[in-house]
């Protein structure tokens, strides 16, 4: 069962070696911009975790967003994205593990996650790894910053993980 491997880093590198075509999990920017733009400004310093080959960051830059840092665990993917977007100074791509972020405390205004928490929850040690991930996201967010988590999981299955971060005000939305 392939989705059971979504929580393993080697799965993602092998996947992107086989298929590097653009793919957006769950929604394109058009389907989520009404939510994300409610919590971010065009000048916000934004971290996109588990960016994959998504076009979302590119589409956000086209809408006027000015600073998007994209991370993913796959070195092959990051090399490809850096080459593809080398002429777009608003987009940065860095190989990084979301459970061990190499950014200073309070560095970002917002963190966007489109399926990354879902992937982490598919791997071994999912409870501990999701806690590491969410703790790291909290750490790199500025006070009052926003974490937008777009998940395929039902709210009753995802909210318990998010509610462990006692300082977060959580709002749940359904996206059609």
């Amino acid at each position: 069962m392939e989705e059971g491997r979504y929580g393993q880093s080697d799965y993602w590198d092998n996947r992107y070696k086989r298929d590097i075509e653009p793919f957006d999990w769950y929604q394109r920017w058009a389907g989520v911009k009404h939510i994300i733009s409610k919590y971010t400004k065009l000048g916000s310093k934004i971290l996109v975790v588990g960016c994959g080959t998504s076009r979302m960051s590119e589409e956000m830059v086209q809408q006027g967003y000015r600073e998007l840092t994209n991370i993913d665990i796959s070195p092959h993917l990051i090399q490809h994205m850096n080459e593809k977007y080398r002429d777009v100074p608003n987009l940065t791509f860095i190989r990084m593990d979301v459970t061990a972020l190499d950014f200073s405390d309070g560095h970002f205004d917002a963190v966007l996650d489109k399926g990354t928490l879902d992937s982490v929850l598919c791997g071994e040690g999912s409870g501990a790894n999701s806690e590491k991930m969410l703790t790291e996201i909290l750490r790199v967010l500025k006070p009052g910053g926003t974490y937008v988590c777009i998940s395929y999981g039902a709210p009753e299955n995802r909210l318990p993980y998010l509610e462990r971060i006692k300082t977060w005000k959580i709002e749940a939305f359904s996206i059609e």
Side-chain angles (χ1 to χ4, degrees):
M1 182 157 87
E2 194 163 83
E3 68 267 4
R5 299 204 52 231
Y6 289 168
Q8 299 176 355
S9 60
D10 66 323
Y11 166 81
W12 293 105
D13 210 40
N14 289 330
R15 176 190 173 102
Y16 293 125
K17 285 177 182 173
R18 287 189 321 269
D19 182 10
I20 202 73
E21 292 301 312
F23 181 77
D24 279 274
W25 292 89
Y26 309 150
Q27 291 282 329
R28 298 267 312 256
W29 168 244
V32 296
K33 71 179 177 181
H34 65 287
I35 293 172
I36 294 173
S37 60
K38 179 178 175 181
Y39 297 98
T40 60
K41 297 179 175 74
L42 296 180
S44 295
K45 196 176 221 181
I46 299 172
L47 174 63
V48 180
V49 298
C51 63
T53 56
S54 173
R55 294 165 285 215
M56 186 172 74
S57 291
E58 173 187 359
E59 293 167 344
M60 289 177 72
V61 166
Q62 291 168 355
Q63 292 281 304
Y65 282 87
R66 295 187 289 276
E67 191 170 351
L68 289 108
T69 301
N70 299 266
I71 66 165
D72 202 282
I73 198 136
S74 167
H76 181 77
L77 167 82
I78 292 300
Q79 179 183 356
H80 170 78
M81 297 302 271
N82 275 316
E83 290 169 9
K84 180 177 180 178
Y85 292 107
R86 69 179 163 265
D87 296 328
V88 184
N90 308 65
L91 295 177
T92 303
F93 292 88
I94 304 169
R95 190 226 171 261
M96 197 175 298
D97 182 340
V98 71
T99 66
L101 297 175
D102 192 20
F103 299 109
S104 59
D105 295 0
H107 191 77
F108 294 98
D109 298 300
V111 175
L112 306 182
D113 166 1
K114 199 159 55 102
T116 302
L117 179 60
D118 291 350
S119 291
V120 169
L121 289 171
C122 287
E124 287 184 36
S126 61
N129 286 331
S130 65
E131 187 169 344
K132 285 181 195 173
M133 172 187 164
L134 295 172
T135 300
E136 280 292 275
I137 287 171
L138 175 64
R139 182 184 65 76
V140 302
L141 277 171
K142 291 179 180 174
T146 301
Y147 170 50
V148 177
C149 178
I150 300 164
S151 172
Y152 191 70
E156 61 270 15
N157 295 329
R158 293 298 179 259
L159 287 173
Y161 295 100
L162 300 172
E163 289 168 345
R164 291 178 186 163
I165 308 292
K166 301 295 183 200
T167 58
W168 281 350
K169 177 184 168 205
I170 300 170
E171 295 181 58
F173 302 92
S174 292
I175 301 171
E176 304 280 328

